[in-house]
Amino acid sequence: MPEHRDPGHPEPNTPTASPGDDYQGHRQEHDERHRAAADGLSVWTTAQTTGPVQRRGRYVPESVKHPARMLPAIAAHAIDAYTQPGDLVLDPMCGIGTTLVEAVHAGRDAFGIEYEPQWSNIADANIRHAHDQGATGRASVIRGDATRLMSLVPKALTGQVALVVTSPPYGPTVHGLVRPGADGVVKYDDRYNDGEDRGNLAYRDLTGLADGFTQILAGCATLLRPGGVVVVTARPWRKRGELVDLPSAVIAAGIRAGLVPIERCVALLAAVRDGHLVARPSFFQLQQVRKARAGGVPMHLIAHEDVLILAKLSQRLDSGDGEVAG
């Protein structure tokens, strides 16, 4: 999974709203726990244990084959913060089903869309495994292209989804796994599919990825119930040394899809121990940073992902004084 935004990149000039102004019911109960204080920052401690420890016994062993797995604690935190038991959760790019598994364990119902048969099969296996362990929620996976979301989902679900949790693909920047070989380290399980099917968003450039993600978010906006939210985890990557600012592209895609950014949080990819961060970098992150520093570029290890939270607001914002107009 993901890196973090370049602090040199300014925030996009987008309209924002306080959740307290626009949400009804239980969402307001969580504001004090997850809203930031004066500086507007909210930090999710989602890597107190490593990804493998979080998944051990909770997910089938084949899950490790996916090249860009979401940390279960990120999905679990979002589900706890933005839903109640019995609510409906969606992941339109569900991969091995992390969002779905964490939802059913929390007593929520869920469904996901997955383009690649290999991952949808593993997601199905993970859901069955969760039920074998006593999970009470219901979940299912729909195989198909999420850019055509409304053609895949029953019309009866329009306006029923309380929460969307997802992450865009990262194409060739995913980390995969490594093992020692005769000629050094060998990388494997580092692709979304074997044939690099160009129908997969992972193999588009940033413009194509953003366009496809806009279509996906537009479908999500249609499925959201009043007060529902979309949680997207994203981080930039570097291409030939240049930062590709994916989080800002996601925000822009959300706005084009009719959503409004309401929070920008941080999900730690490092543990907090005695007031200090304990980084959990991958082999490839370490390798990239070492090469950059050897070349005179002062690159640092990434310790978090951006968590972008957007809402479909039923009211419009009054541009004059920031109040919500009917």
Side-chain angles (χ1 to χ4, degrees), residues 169-245:
Y170 292 86
T173 67
V174 297
H175 296 147
L177 301 174
V178 295
R179 61 172 170 250
D183 299 319
V185 172
V186 177
K187 189 174 182 178
Y188 65 102
D189 286 338
D190 59 342
R191 294 184 180 274
Y192 288 94
N193 59 39
D194 294 331
E196 294 193 9
D197 178 357
R198 297 300 163 172
N200 191 316
L201 288 186
Y203 300 108
R204 298 185 187 182
D205 61 14
L206 182 62
T207 300
L209 172 58
D211 288 345
F213 205 59
T214 298
Q215 293 175 282
I216 292 171
L217 292 179
C220 291
T222 300
L223 293 170
L224 280 179
R225 74 184 187 189
V229 296
V230 176
V231 173
V232 182
T233 66
R235 59 181 173 179
W237 68 84
R238 293 188 182 274
K239 185 175 182 180
R240 293 188 292 272
E242 296 291 325
L243 192 77
V244 179
D245 189 4

Side-chain angles (χ1 to χ4, degrees), residues 103-294:
V104 298
H105 274 296
R108 280 66 165 172
D109 295 333
F111 69 101
I113 313 296
E114 176 51 42
Y115 184 80
E116 301 292 345
Q118 177 183 4
W119 311 129
S120 65
N121 289 338
I122 293 176
D124 282 336
N126 277 324
I127 292 168
R128 290 193 298 270
H129 185 59
H131 288 148
D132 289 343
Q133 293 182 318
T136 58
R138 299 168 297 173
S140 62
V141 180
I142 301 171
R143 288 124 179 111
D145 182 353
T147 63
R148 303 175 60 225
L149 186 58
M150 295 311 298
S151 69
L152 301 173
V153 176
K155 284 186 169 44
L157 293 181
T158 299
Q160 300 300 309
V161 172
L163 172 67
V164 175
V165 181
T166 197
S167 180
Y170 292 86
T173 67
V174 297
H175 296 147
L177 301 174
V178 295
R179 61 172 170 250
D183 299 319
V185 172
V186 177
K187 189 174 182 178
Y188 65 102
D189 286 338
D190 59 342
R191 294 184 180 274
Y192 288 94
N193 59 39
D194 294 331
E196 294 193 9
D197 178 357
R198 297 300 163 172
N200 191 316
L201 288 186
Y203 300 108
R204 298 185 187 182
D205 61 14
L206 182 62
T207 300
L209 172 58
D211 288 345
F213 205 59
T214 298
Q215 293 175 282
I216 292 171
L217 292 179
C220 291
T222 300
L223 293 170
L224 280 179
R225 74 184 187 189
V229 296
V230 176
V231 173
V232 182
T233 66
R235 59 181 173 179
W237 68 84
R238 293 188 182 274
K239 185 175 182 180
R240 293 188 292 272
E242 296 291 325
L243 192 77
V244 179
D245 189 4
L246 181 59
S248 291
V250 167
I251 291 173
I255 293 169
R256 291 195 300 271
L259 298 167
V260 176
I262 58 170
E263 296 182 69
R264 188 164 184 167
C265 303
V266 164
L268 290 180
L269 301 177
V272 179
R273 297 283 187 269
D274 298 323
H276 299 278
L277 292 182
V278 179
R280 302 192 188 282
S282 71
F283 170 85
F284 300 103
Q285 285 177 307
L286 286 171
Q287 185 182 53
Q288 184 182 37
V289 169
R290 286 168 178 162
K291 285 181 179 179
R293 289 188 173 184

